[in-house]
């Protein structure tokens, strides 16, 4: 088969479709979290779980099963069947999209493999993508499991692992697509490339802390800005003695929110520095666009973060802030790719 048939436009469209589905899944996942719907489906059925309850008897059975777990017993024992249906929908949709992503990644990959439309490097990269997708599914199950024992909430560590893996899977899928869209590129400056990599690492750390904030419901306290409370840049609860001091910054609500606030300034600082460094360079059109896109998105994301805190995390704004993080990672990935050999 001719070489021109390999890594063709169909392969690129396949990868970009995967990116779109991951984006939709992250949005729905954000809604699921913010509406506290994530523990509504306590049994994990890979195939039959794609079909929701179809009649009142099946709905009642699902509701009775939900009643056996801590979330209902400790938090939602006032729920009636309609309340349960409302939270069930978002978790069911989230899981169905996850299964759809698995099908969309695996079946076309198998087709392209059989018809020899992939080069060896792309086969290796696609295999990594499939592994990331499978790991992401496992983390989703592992996360939900943590909220079905004693505490009616999922572990914020597992939530962070689940969300961060989704972001990394998207970024890598997008990177592989970019490799095929722009096969010829030259490295401009290794030091500058490494600086962007460092900025990307800080951004990923910020995404992890965003998940910590979500998992601990830490956005519902200290709803002032730039101070954590009136007249205080650092709230005294950041130094709570109830848990070891360092643990306050990974397990304490105040400490986690404080780190998330500070990291936001670092992310903005890195991106402004990236922009200023490129002012002395001769850039291609797409390099210039990627830098300006990065600058605009980080500004929007910063403002969204501030208002999310000030307004005590309304669902629509919390989701918008998570979408902003997604686009920011997208912009950072594109920028790094454009400045990497």
């Amino acid at each position: 088969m001719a070489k021109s048939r390999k890594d063709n436009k169909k392969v690129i469209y396949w990868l970009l479709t995967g990116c779109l589905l991951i984006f939709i899944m992250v949005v729905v996942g954000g809604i699921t979290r913010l509406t506290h719907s994530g523990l509504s489906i306590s049994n994990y059925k890979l195939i039959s779980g794609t079909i929701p309850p179809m009649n009142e008897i099946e709905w009642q059975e699902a509701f009775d099963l939900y009643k056996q777990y801590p979330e209902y017993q400790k938090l939602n024992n006032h729920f009636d069947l309609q309340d349960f249906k409302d939270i069930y929908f978002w978790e069911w949709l989230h899981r169905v999209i996850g299964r759809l992503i698995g099908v969309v990644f695996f079946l076309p990959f198998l087709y392209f493999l059989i018809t020899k439309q992939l080069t060896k490097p792309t086969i290796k990269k696609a295999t990594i993508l499939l592994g990331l997708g499978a790991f992401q599914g496992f983390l989703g199950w592992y996360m939900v499991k943590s909220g079905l024992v004693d505490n009616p909430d999922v572990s914020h560590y597992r939530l962070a692992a689940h969300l961060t893996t989704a972001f990394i899977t998207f970024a890598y899928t997008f990177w592989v697509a970019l490799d095929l869209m722009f096969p010829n590129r030259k490295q401009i400056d290794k030091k500058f490339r490494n600086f962007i990599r460092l900025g990307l690492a800080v951004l990923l750390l910020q995404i992890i802390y965003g998940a910590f904030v979500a998992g601990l419901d830490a956005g519902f306290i200290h709803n002032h800005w730039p101070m954590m409370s009136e007249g205080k840049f650092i709230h005294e609860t950041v130094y709570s003695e109830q848990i070891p001091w360092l643990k306050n910054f990974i397990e304490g609500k105040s400490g986690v929110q404080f780190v998330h606030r500070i990291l936001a300034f670092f992310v903005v600082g890195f991106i402004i520095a990236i922009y200023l460094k490129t002012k002395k360079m001769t850039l291609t059109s797409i390099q210039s666009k990627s830098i300006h896109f990065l600058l605009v998105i980080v500004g929007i994301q910063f403002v969204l973060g501030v208002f999310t805190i000030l307004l005590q995390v309304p669902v629509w704004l919390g989701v918008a802030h998570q979408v902003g993080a997604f686009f920011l990672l997208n912009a950072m990935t594109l920028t790094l790719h454009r400045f990497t050999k």
Side-chain angles (χ1 to χ4, degrees), residues 119-260:
T119 60
K120 287 184 179 180
T122 303
I123 291 173
K124 291 179 181 178
K125 294 170 187 176
T127 302
I128 293 172
L129 285 176
L130 290 173
L132 282 170
F135 185 57
Q136 172 69 358
F138 164 76
L139 286 175
W141 166 81
Y142 187 60
M143 176 187 70
V144 169
K145 187 179 178 182
S146 67
L148 299 176
V149 184
D150 299 313
N151 183 25
D153 207 351
V154 299
S155 161
H156 70 291
Y157 292 119
R158 298 187 190 186
L159 173 66
H162 183 54
L163 180 65
T164 306
T165 304
F167 274 76
I168 291 173
T169 303
F170 166 83
Y172 189 66
T173 306
F174 188 46
W175 186 278
V176 177
L178 289 172
D179 278 345
L180 304 186
M181 294 163 66
F182 306 103
N184 300 315
R185 62 187 191 272
K186 62 180 181 179
Q187 185 169 286
I188 292 182
D189 185 323
K190 283 187 178 181
K191 288 184 178 179
F192 183 59
R193 176 206 63 188
N194 290 339
F195 186 75
I196 300 175
R197 283 179 175 175
L198 183 58
L200 177 60
V202 174
L203 175 58
L204 286 172
L205 182 61
Q206 174 69 326
I207 289 169
I208 291 171
Y209 263 89
F212 282 177
V213 170
L216 293 170
D217 291 327
F220 295 98
I221 59 175
H222 311 314
N223 301 108
H224 296 78
W225 193 89
M227 307 297 184
M228 290 189 75
S229 61
E230 292 183 9
K232 294 181 180 179
F233 182 69
I234 303 176
H235 198 272
E236 60 267 16
T237 52
V238 171
Y239 305 102
S240 171
E241 296 180 357
Q242 296 178 1
I243 55 178
W245 184 73
L246 285 177
K247 276 195 172 184
N248 277 304
F249 297 101
I250 54 174
E251 294 183 0
K253 292 185 179 183
S254 298
V256 164
Q257 191 196 110
F258 175 73
V259 174
H260 193 52

